Amino acid sequence: MIDNEHDFGVRQWVVGGTTVMELSGELDLYAGESAGARLDEACAGPQPDVVVDLRGLSFLDCSGLSVLIRARRRTLERGGRFGLVADHPPVLRLLRLTRTTGVFAVHGDLASALAARGTTGPSAATGGAIA
């Protein structure tokens, strides 16, 4: 799903029980509502296992970060795991400045994030089935 007017998109698939959400474009106040709804769905079940790939983001502000923090909290409340994939310097800088690098499990690539969960497979590299 791409919102062309506001340059935000979400792709989602499951790899070995882990829900991968790939965000692209700008995660800001406007996109936060859409991203929050999708993350709420992914984090709703018992013991959710969620990895959010932020490498496609060109911009992340504090309202977008708030959406990620809320999703992490909900995941942990349900006994699940929540991780991020990030390598874009401005995104990593925001995580450092807000002192949330220690809050999130942050990985440099999707393969590392999935390996940390004991999940591997060909669909991890290709994106698997997109919902």
Side-chain angles (χ1 to χ4, degrees):
M1 170 187 105
I2 296 285
D3 179 344
N4 290 327
E5 183 178 341
H6 295 93
D7 192 28
F8 178 72
V10 179
R11 290 183 349 141
Q12 180 176 331
W13 64 94
V14 176
V15 179
T18 299
T19 300
V20 177
M21 296 190 73
E22 181 183 83
L23 307 183
S24 61
E26 300 178 1
L27 181 51
D28 56 12
L29 181 62
Y30 176 80
E33 185 176 331
S34 173
R38 294 288 296 268
L39 282 164
D40 285 348
E41 289 175 23
C43 301
Q47 298 182 319
D49 191 5
V50 179
V51 171
V52 181
D53 189 342
L54 306 177
R55 292 176 297 170
L57 290 181
S58 58
F59 179 78
L60 174 67
D61 70 4
C62 289
S63 59
L65 181 59
S66 176
V67 168
L68 296 172
I69 291 169
R70 184 183 75 190
R72 177 190 173 274
R73 186 189 77 239
R74 289 182 176 188
T75 299
L76 296 180
E77 286 172 354
R78 291 172 172 85
R81 298 184 296 181
F82 188 89
L84 299 178
V85 177
D87 66 356
H88 190 54
V91 171
L92 293 171
R93 182 171 187 259
L94 178 64
L95 294 174
R96 277 193 310 275
L97 289 174
T98 57
R99 298 184 181 183
T100 53
T101 53
V103 172
F104 293 106
V106 181
H107 302 274
D109 58 61
L110 184 56
S112 298
L114 293 174
R117 289 162 154 65
T119 304
T120 59
S123 58
T126 62
I130 299 169

